[in-house]
Amino acid sequence: MDVVISPSILASDFTNLERELGRITTADYAHVDVMDNHFVPNLTLGLPVVERLVQVSPVPIDCHLMIEDPDRWAPGFAEAGAASVTFHAEAVQAPVRLARELRRLGARAGLALRPATPVEPFLDLLDEIDMLLVMTVEPGFGGQSFIDGTLPKIRRARDAVSAAGLDVWVQVDGGISGATIERAAEAGANVFVAGSAVYGADDAAAAIQDLRSLAAGAHRH
Ligand code: DX5
Ligand code: ZN
């Protein structure tokens, strides 16, 4: 299982996003948190900013849409060139139609679950998506602590993906650091979002490398 590291620019300096993207050239993706102040009680950035980030980023953009009505808005992020577009299960009306539309537009399609949202209703739809995001904090803010109660869901998600013989990535987001990444990796996650653990470090590349080797080590066990 390949380890994929996706640092969240939510923890970066918003006055100079191009420079901040330049700190994570060794990452696999740049994770961009889009919040609309309705689905979550916070507001970040939207499509015009993402369109520019796609143009200047040294790594592909992994868009996490914490917004209402993703059926209407998510395709625009794929059209803008985001490599991966993730919408929330709690907000979407027609997840299969939206996932197919995102894939048709050339993006990887991701489905996100809040900590209290069960994975079971979606297990028969796994072949329609490229990634399942198991939120390991309540979405809305960076710097929160990892919720250990999400580990069984990560495990059930990974088991279902394996049983189906699919190559669906399992992403974790929230509270991922050197202290928690091994637990998430052992449970079956392979894509790791880290905001404060990467952008809060003096040496972001070293932080990425540390996270990558801890996760790879946990996968080998
Ligand atoms: C929270 C966002 C996360 C956030 C993670 O709702 O989805 O991507 O940036 O931040 P850390 O890694 O600091 O918990
Ligand atoms: Zn996120």
Side-chain angles (χ1 to χ4, degrees):
M1 202 162 29
D2 282 344
V3 171
V4 175
I5 305 289
S6 187
S8 169
I9 63 165
L10 186 61
S12 76
D13 178 356
F14 269 26
T15 66
N16 198 332
L17 291 173
E18 186 171 14
R19 182 191 65 209
E20 293 290 74
L21 287 168
R23 294 173 64 193
I24 60 163
T25 57
T26 56
D28 301 288
Y29 286 89
H31 183 85
V32 177
D33 290 302
V34 175
M35 306 186 192
D36 66 354
N37 212 21
H38 291 272
F39 183 70
V40 288
N42 196 4
L43 185 68
T44 54
L45 48 82
L47 184 57
V49 177
V50 171
E51 283 171 339
R52 285 290 293 137
L53 293 176
V54 165
Q55 289 166 6
V56 303
S57 180
V59 292
I61 297 294
D62 164 32
C63 250
H64 176 195
L65 304 180
M66 285 160 276
I67 61 172
E68 299 287 5
D69 205 2
D71 304 73
R72 176 173 174 190
W73 301 111
F77 292 84
E79 284 165 356
S84 178
V85 178
T86 298
F87 56 87
H88 265 267
E90 306 84 0
V92 72
Q93 295 295 321
V96 173
R97 183 165 62 215
L98 180 55
R100 288 183 178 180
E101 175 72 357
L102 293 172
R103 284 174 154 185
R104 190 185 66 75
L105 293 167
R108 293 175 59 88
L111 176 71
L113 307 173
R114 300 182 79 128
T117 303
V119 68
E120 281 69 22
F122 303 98
L123 292 182
D124 290 336
L125 307 177
L126 285 176
D127 65 340
E128 300 283 351
I129 60 174
D130 300 292
M131 185 167 79
L132 191 65
L133 165 51
V134 178
M135 288 301 299
T136 46
V137 299
E138 288 291 354
F141 302 93
Q144 304 180 79
S145 52
F146 184 86
I147 301 170
D148 275 287
T150 60
L151 289 168
K153 181 162 62 177
I154 297 167
R155 193 160 280 121
R156 291 196 300 277
R158 173 55 65 190
D159 288 348
V161 168
S162 301
L166 296 168
D167 185 25
V168 178
W169 290 357
V170 178
Q171 184 179 57
V172 285
D173 180 8
I176 298 298
S177 70
T180 56
I181 193 168
E182 291 168 296
R183 300 210 283 284
E186 275 161 20
N190 73 300
V191 187
F192 305 90
V193 177
S196 24
V198 170
Y199 275 106
D202 289 334
D203 186 343
I208 290 166
Q209 184 50 45
D210 287 350
L211 291 172
R212 202 185 282 290
S213 53
L214 284 169
H219 282 168
R220 279 194 291 272
H221 287 134

